[in-house]
Amino acid sequence: MEIRQLQYFTAVAEELHFGRAAERLHIGQPAVSQLIRRLERELGVELFDRSPRHVRLTPAGTRLLPEARAVLAAAERARAVVAEELAVQRDSLRIGTSTGMGERLDDVLTAFGELVPQAGVDLRYVPTRERLEQVAQGALDAAFVRGEQEEDERLRIVPVWQEPLVAVLPAAHPLAVRDELPWEELAALPLRLTARRNNPPLVDLVLSACRDAGFEPIPGPPSTALQDTLAAIGSGTPMWTVVYAAHAAQLRAPRVAFVPFRSPGLTITTGLVLPRARPPRHAQALLEACARARVRWTDDHVH
């Protein structure tokens, strides 16, 4: 039995959907299905009850799940111990992050390098839930997260900046030429968002903004990968979504338009997650780097 098999099994068991599990694991669905089948053959028992309408754990799968979680947690602790020792030896900071931070992350790393030139940075792109858990267990020294997170006594989350969001519309749509987009004019267009379980803070923020503007958004097709969503919107079908402004600045998507929301706009808080018990050696320098980068963005906006 391999660690990877238990990782795949746990993901499917928690999602109860092979497609969502594959997306969470950042691999193709066939690979997940094949590895689960192999695990079932090795154990001589089916772990999932599969039907066209649902996926459920069998009694054997239900009994295996807590044991699989325990093994994965032990493996992660073992990795964390070794990684922490390596980080001390190399004087490097292991930082968890996500896609779409754009020049903001570059500016923070530049400022950090000026403050602590001898320290290295090891960036790791992992899903938010895993990011938080890895900081708590010591596999990461710090991590960036967006929006409010569930309280965890093992972690401290320091707000470091406000991240603007922009609307995404078909480039040919009449609203695409606006300098600012009034919320109420989006009421007639379907909204294409990721499932709430994938990004609760973002989904809650957007839906709340729509309701504050006096309308319940029309649900569009479920959003999967961002590039697929942009392609669907770029096809000209009237619909909209939101992306982080820093990410929009990096995207090459000529068939869509990125339009700021009407003042005061829409923003989400980016926080730096640190462990409460043993803050990393360069935690204060990293916080100072965030502050310096934030001042630079403010100055650039003013000028």
Side-chain angles (χ1 to χ4, degrees):
M1 187 181 299
E2 302 173 0
I3 292 293
R4 187 176 57 160
Q5 290 175 313
L6 295 180
Q7 289 173 330
Y8 288 19
F9 163 74
T10 301
V12 176
E14 291 175 349
E15 298 291 343
L16 292 179
H17 191 284
F18 280 83
R20 290 196 296 267
E23 184 176 345
R24 170 173 155 184
L25 294 164
H26 303 292
I27 58 173
Q29 181 174 333
V32 176
S33 299
Q34 290 169 13
L35 206 68
I36 295 296
R37 285 294 188 192
R38 196 174 87 189
L39 177 60
E40 290 175 324
R41 287 196 300 271
E42 291 175 3
L43 296 175
V45 65
E46 288 194 348
L47 301 172
F48 295 99
D49 175 18
R50 303 163 175 86
S51 80
R53 293 190 174 184
H54 67 256
V55 174
R56 294 176 182 168
L57 283 166
T58 63
T62 300
R63 295 190 64 180
L64 176 61
L65 181 57
E67 303 301 328
R69 285 171 170 160
V71 171
L72 293 176
E76 191 57 50
R77 286 193 298 272
R79 291 192 193 97
V81 169
V82 176
E84 186 174 359
E85 179 59 29
L86 285 173
V88 170
Q89 293 175 5
R90 298 173 181 173
D91 196 22
S92 65
L93 205 61
R94 300 159 299 162
I95 302 176
T97 184
S98 63
T99 57
M101 294 186 66
E103 292 184 358
R104 293 184 181 276
L105 181 59
D106 292 338
D107 290 343
V108 169
L109 297 180
T110 297
F112 181 75
E114 293 168 352
L115 290 165
V116 194
Q118 77 279 10
V121 172
D122 177 12
L123 292 180
R124 303 185 185 179
Y125 295 85
V126 291
T128 301
R129 281 187 296 180
E130 294 178 32
R131 229 176 298 157
L132 295 168
E133 188 59 30
Q134 287 188 22
V135 173
Q137 294 194 8
L140 288 174
D141 299 305
F144 290 103
V145 294
R146 294 183 175 107
E148 293 186 9
Q149 305 295 326
E150 293 183 8
E151 288 191 15
D152 188 327
E153 61 183 10
R154 302 170 298 173
L155 302 173
R156 178 170 71 107
I157 302 180
V158 183
V160 288
W161 65 75
Q162 290 296 313
E163 181 79 48
L165 292 107
V166 296
V168 185
L169 295 159
H173 196 278
L175 293 176
V177 298
R178 297 289 188 90
D179 292 330
E180 290 186 340
L181 193 59
W183 278 94
E184 58 271 18
E185 296 201 28
L186 293 168
L189 296 179
L191 170 60
R192 186 164 181 157
L193 275 182
T194 187
R196 185 181 183 278
R197 65 178 173 274
N198 296 331
N199 196 335
L202 176 66
V203 173
D204 290 347
L205 178 69
V206 174
L207 295 183
S208 177
C210 292
R211 290 162 187 157
D212 289 345
F215 69 95
E216 193 72 27
I218 302 170
S223 179
T224 52
L226 178 59
Q227 288 298 334
D228 293 342
T229 298
L230 295 181
I233 294 175
S235 70
T237 304
M239 66 177 75
W240 66 287
T241 190
V242 297
V243 297
Y244 303 109
H247 198 183
Q250 291 186 315
L251 293 171
R252 299 182 62 183
R255 299 175 67 185
V256 302
F258 302 104
V259 187
F261 293 101
R262 184 172 58 192
S263 182
L266 184 67
T267 61
I268 193 168
T269 302
T270 294
L272 184 66
V273 185
L274 298 166
R276 285 190 183 277
R278 291 187 296 171
R281 180 177 176 185
H282 300 302
Q284 197 55 47
L286 184 57
L287 287 168
E288 175 61 24
C290 292
R292 291 189 180 188
R294 186 173 63 246
V295 169
R296 173 183 169 181
W297 305 326
T298 302
D299 290 345
D300 289 346
H301 180 72
V302 170
H303 297 299

